[in-house]
Amino acid sequence: MIVVVHLTIGYLQFPAQTLMIDRVQLVPFRFVYDWYIVSTHGSWFFWNSVKLTTYNFLLLIPLGIYLTSLYKLRPRRGLVLVILTTIVIELTQLVLTEFGFLYRGFNVDDLLLNSLGGWFGLWIGSLILNWRRANQDKRTAA
């Protein structure tokens, strides 16, 4: 959990800084446009953007797997928890940025990618749970 907090929050700045950055990005799938723009500026910027997008997708996959395979939560309830977790992460980034302790903001693309990754984890977790049940049924039948 500490690693997730560090990856999503980053480094806190003490004392608080005042830096004017875009704190809220509400345009869905803006990262696709960013990929197009940075692809014209060189490969490092493009691959860094792809890397960050991939990390946002991968971040909550373990949570989805754990919710279904360990806690046996139904996918709908699990998806609600994944979305709430993503919202808490983004709001924490926004609040810490508002007070100058962090240079990040609220990004709707992060919400979408984290939720999609969490949903993918829920799907993988349900496959694992079904596989366990099938193997357990085979053992009891034998």
Side-chain angles (χ1 to χ4, degrees):
M1 188 65 179
I2 293 172
V3 172
V4 171
V5 169
H6 174 70
L7 289 174
T8 58
I9 302 294
Y11 296 100
L12 296 177
Q13 304 291 325
F14 292 103
Q17 305 292 315
T18 56
L19 179 67
M20 297 304 294
I21 63 168
D22 293 334
R23 290 186 172 98
V24 178
Q25 193 281 107
L26 297 175
V27 179
F29 302 107
R30 171 75 186 252
F31 68 93
V32 176
Y33 175 74
D34 291 341
W35 284 359
Y36 173 73
I37 293 298
V38 298
S39 68
T40 61
H41 293 357
S43 63
W44 183 87
F45 294 106
F46 174 75
W47 289 114
N48 190 48
S49 178
V50 170
K51 178 184 74 171
L52 293 175
T53 301
T54 304
Y55 287 165
N56 275 322
F57 177 77
L58 294 175
L59 183 67
L60 292 184
I61 289 177
L63 178 64
I65 292 172
Y66 295 147
L67 288 176
T68 53
S69 63
L70 294 180
Y71 299 113
K72 296 177 179 58
L73 234 59
R74 294 183 180 169
R76 280 192 182 169
R77 284 190 179 175
L79 187 59
V80 169
L81 285 174
V82 164
I83 291 171
L84 287 175
T85 302
T86 303
I87 290 171
V88 166
I89 290 169
E90 289 301 313
L91 288 178
T92 302
Q93 289 176 354
L94 180 65
V95 167
L96 290 175
T97 299
E98 273 304 311
F99 288 110
F101 294 112
L102 190 65
Y103 295 130
R104 300 191 59 154
F106 184 90
N107 190 332
V108 74
D109 286 339
D110 291 353
L111 277 175
L112 293 171
L113 291 166
N114 290 340
S115 299
L116 187 63
W119 175 81
F120 185 68
L122 290 167
W123 179 73
I124 292 172
S126 65
L127 289 177
I128 292 170
L129 193 59
N130 290 337
W131 178 75
R132 280 187 187 169
R133 287 180 186 158
N135 283 344
Q136 188 176 18
D137 292 343
K138 287 180 185 177
R139 286 186 208 151
T140 57

